Amino acid sequence: MNLLIQEHVSLKSYNTLAVDVAARFFVAVQSLEQLQAALAWAQQHDRAVLLLGGGSNLVLTADLDVLVIHVQLRGIAVLSEDAEHARIEVQAGENWHDFVQWSLAQGLSGLENLSLIPGNIGAAPVQNIGAYGVELKDHLESVFCFDRDTQSTQRLSAEQCQFAYRDSLFKRESGRRVILSVIFRLPKQAILQLDYGDLRGYLAEQQIGAPTAQDVSRAVCAIRAQKLPDPAELANTGSFFKNPVVSAEHAQRLQKSYPNIVRFAQADGQVKLAAGWLIDQAGWKGVRQGDAGVHAKQALVLVNYGSATGQQVLELAGQIQADIQQRFAVELEIEPNVLGQS
Ligand code: EPU
């Protein structure tokens, strides 16, 4: 097996926060066989491994004395279809947004609300990506992966993946499984989800009376572009914190002091708060410390204006967490994976 293992490779262009740390060893893999060879190499050389996809949910805090494996498996295949659905298998190295656009162009729907989310297919199940009231799990049939513990491939049903809000088995048992491909089951007849946030308002403003899935995708792209920075223009990892969930009593108390607080009742009686609102209210929006900053249009997104280190971004995040704890007695949990020695 011919593997090109490079040494001392900058990861700046492999993480959307554009942090400039180096990988001691780096290899790109385009097949399961290459992946297995790379894992075997790491074992022989007693090196830990970091699996990298689109790098869109990652904060790197130091050079990595590991073998970084960049998963580049490509391909999209229609497995089967009937009058109502098509089953599509997508390899882990395909770009998420390009796949969403491909599916819409085939007349398939379901993923329109998830347009423009950065990253690759292989990373999407890890945090069960979600936006505008739709989550990946809503249209995912199964995930094919390589289990490093058992050294064998595995197909996990959506249920076995244990998806939850920004969470999954892959995240909980981090590093154990390498996602190779995902099978989606997509409807031909669109069932649109328009109830979240600005979506319906935006479509009305554009005078789109009976929107198609493509219209919804265009609306989501436009709304995201207003608030969320394009990592190609301003480096970021999307939402830096999860939206916190608090007890109904806690939310009630907060609402007395802050009548405008943004809150969403949960099925279990608890209340989800908009972390972006809390951070904005606390005055952090647009704050910049060196090259690390809080995005001026969406306080939930931390950005790198150029040469911020992962540590500097985390330092800013720590100040925000402490302030939100003090003001609202709410704990903010960091959403992206933090990797590297401190
Ligand atoms: N808000 C503010 N100020 C801000 C930011 C938000 O007042 O600076 C308010 C908004 O006005 C709105 C509420 O907070 O009333 C929620 O904001 P928004 O609709 O922008 O969504 P979010 O809860 O901040 C979540 C996801 C995003 C996803 C959007 C749209 C999480 C952690 N984030 O953000 O996902 O795109 O909803 O569905 O759940 C990501 O995970 O990287 C991500 C971008």
Side-chain angles (χ1 to χ4, degrees):
M1 172 73 49
N2 232 357
L3 272 190
L4 177 61
I5 297 191
Q6 297 170 267
E7 294 193 52
H8 304 292
V9 173
S10 167
L11 296 177
K12 190 172 165 81
S13 61
Y14 292 99
N15 70 103
T16 62
L17 194 56
V19 168
D20 195 4
V21 299
R24 179 70 182 83
F25 297 99
F26 180 97
V27 66
V29 297
Q30 273 135 15
S31 66
L32 172 59
E33 292 68 33
Q34 286 186 349
L35 170 72
Q36 285 175 298
L39 291 170
W41 186 95
Q43 201 162 24
Q44 280 154 19
H45 294 80
D46 207 16
R47 289 283 164 179
V49 156
L50 167 64
L51 286 143
L52 197 60
S56 62
N57 205 41
L58 200 55
V59 181
L60 298 169
T61 57
D63 287 346
L64 299 174
D65 198 19
V66 306
L67 171 66
V68 170
I69 302 180
H70 193 226
V71 177
Q72 296 184 352
L73 280 71
R74 303 297 298 265
I76 301 178
V78 181
L79 298 183
S80 65
E81 57 183 312
D82 58 26
E84 281 159 17
H85 291 92
R87 292 172 60 246
I88 315 285
E89 179 164 26
V90 193
Q91 301 297 312
E94 290 289 337
N95 175 270
W96 172 262
H97 178 70
D98 291 348
F99 167 61
V100 172
Q101 294 309 305
W102 178 90
S103 70
L104 292 167
Q106 308 301 306
L108 300 171
S109 63
L111 304 179
E112 54 279 359
N113 293 35
L114 305 179
S115 299
L116 218 57
I117 294 183
N120 288 353
I121 294 289
V126 179
Q127 55 153 346
N128 180 28
I129 57 171
Y132 303 100
V134 175
E135 287 185 337
L136 179 83
K137 71 169 174 53
D138 302 335
H139 299 285
L140 180 145
E141 183 178 287
S142 66
V143 174
F144 188 56
C145 56
F146 182 76
D147 183 341
R148 295 173 64 197
D149 281 6
T150 61
Q151 290 289 309
S152 60
T153 54
Q154 232 180 14
R155 181 167 295 288
L156 298 177
S157 67
E159 198 185 349
Q160 288 171 319
C161 295
Q162 299 176 25
F163 291 120
Y165 168 60
R166 296 294 190 276
D167 199 21
S168 72
L169 180 68
F170 308 106
K171 192 165 180 175
R172 268 171 257 154
E173 296 185 356
S174 176
R176 174 168 169 183
R177 295 177 183 83
V178 185
I179 294 174
L180 300 169
S181 68
V182 178
I183 296 181
F184 295 90
R185 186 166 179 271
L186 301 177
K188 293 184 172 175
Q189 191 75 46
I191 305 165
L192 301 177
Q193 299 285 338
L194 305 176
D195 290 331
Y196 187 94
D198 321 338
L199 207 45
R200 204 179 282 280
Y202 180 89
L203 289 162
E205 228 171 72
Q206 302 290 312
Q207 303 186 334
I208 301 172
T212 62
Q214 300 252 22
D215 291 329
V216 174
S217 171
R218 276 190 286 273
V220 166
C221 289
I223 295 169
R224 285 185 72 99
Q226 281 165 14
K227 292 190 194 175
L228 297 168
D230 177 355
E233 283 158 27
L234 181 55
N236 74 90
T237 63
S239 299
F240 206 86
F241 303 100
K242 287 189 188 182
N243 284 330
V245 176
V246 301
S247 68
E249 297 75 43
H250 192 156
Q252 203 82 48
R253 275 198 303 278
L254 286 172
Q255 193 155 27
K256 284 210 176 100
S257 315
Y258 306 94
N260 298 331
I261 193 165
V262 178
R263 43 178 291 175
F264 308 95
Q266 303 295 286
D268 61 4
Q270 299 198 90
V271 177
K272 189 183 267 187
L273 303 175
W277 187 92
L278 297 172
I279 300 168
D280 190 357
Q281 181 73 22
W284 287 95
K285 201 164 171 170
V287 166
R288 181 170 173 170
Q289 293 179 356
D291 271 353
V294 181
H295 188 46
K297 295 179 191 158
Q298 183 13 319
L300 197 50
V301 177
L302 302 192
V303 297
N304 176 5
Y305 285 102
S307 57
T309 63
Q311 292 288 7
Q312 287 165 338
V313 175
L314 282 182
E315 159 66 27
L316 175 60
Q319 292 173 36
I320 294 171
Q321 285 173 309
D323 191 31
I324 298 304
Q325 179 69 51
Q326 209 203 346
R327 282 174 198 260
F328 306 105
V330 169
E331 196 177 328
L332 287 186
E333 193 185 329
I334 290 180
E335 201 219 342
N337 299 318
V338 178
L339 289 175
Q341 305 91 327
S342 48

